[in-house]
Amino acid sequence: METELRELYQQVILDHNKSPRNYKKIEPSTHFAEGYNPLCGDTVHIYLFVEDGLIKDVSFQGSGCAISKASASLMSTIVKGKTVDEAHKLFEKFHDLITGKLGENPDIDELGKLAVFAGVQEFPARVKCASLAWHTMESALKENKEKVTTE
């Protein structure tokens, strides 16, 4: 990855960590799940308001590292307004990106802002940080009542 692009990605992640978007509790919410990364102690609570298969609102609360918080923040901005099916597909694409399944040159246009996490694949311990909010969103949408863990 080019140095300039890597620096831009780092700035986006730092911005979302410092000023997370949609950091609140939605009341009432139709879907909720709690996620926990036992490796580092990151926690996240995901709230969704879904109506007629459309995610009308999404938010999160919790504590964690910059990667974890930035991932939750970006997820909340990108998933809002999508259908539940579109959110599931975004989860799959994001997971493939951070685990390196998309190769060295992922289609950045298709991923949009999520491409800032392409470098995470170089740090396997951070994959769980980046994916925690996404796994938790998936659990909430599937109405799984068990706490999500990345282990």
Side-chain angles (χ1 to χ4, degrees):
M1 184 181 298
E2 297 175 26
T3 302
E4 290 178 13
L5 189 57
R6 187 182 300 263
E7 288 175 7
L8 173 64
Y9 287 177
Q10 187 175 23
Q11 289 175 6
V12 171
I13 290 171
L14 292 174
D15 178 51
H16 276 266
N17 174 52
K18 185 177 178 182
S19 304
R21 282 60 158 185
N22 303 306
Y23 190 85
K24 61 185 179 184
K25 182 178 181 180
I26 297 172
E27 293 185 281
S29 61
T30 58
H31 296 71
F32 168 79
E34 179 178 5
Y36 176 64
N37 182 351
L39 195 64
C40 62
D42 290 356
T43 62
V44 67
H45 299 141
I46 301 292
Y47 305 91
L48 297 134
F49 188 85
V50 179
E51 191 172 65
D52 299 327
L54 185 68
I55 300 172
K56 293 195 167 186
D57 203 0
V58 57
S59 68
F60 76 101
Q61 290 183 320
S63 62
C65 65
I67 296 289
S68 176
K69 191 182 285 184
S71 179
S73 177
L74 272 165
M75 183 271 297
S76 72
T77 62
I78 291 172
V79 168
K80 189 183 294 186
K82 300 278 192 260
T83 66
V84 171
D85 287 342
E86 289 171 331
H88 290 309
K89 289 175 185 169
L90 278 170
F91 166 77
E92 294 296 331
K93 286 180 187 173
F94 181 75
H95 194 264
D96 287 349
L97 172 71
I98 62 173
T99 57
K101 292 181 182 173
L102 297 180
E104 292 184 15
N105 298 310
D107 184 352
I108 292 180
D109 292 334
E110 182 182 4
L111 293 164
K113 291 180 180 177
L114 295 178
V116 301
F117 291 98
V120 169
Q121 63 186 286
E122 297 172 22
F123 307 96
R126 294 297 187 185
V127 169
K128 292 181 180 183
C129 299
S131 66
L132 178 62
W134 290 83
H135 282 291
T136 307
M137 175 199 71
E138 279 285 290
S139 182
L141 289 173
K142 293 177 181 175
E143 300 186 59
N144 184 351
K145 302 296 181 200
E146 293 182 27
K147 189 179 206 178
V148 176
T149 71
T150 53
E151 289 300 311

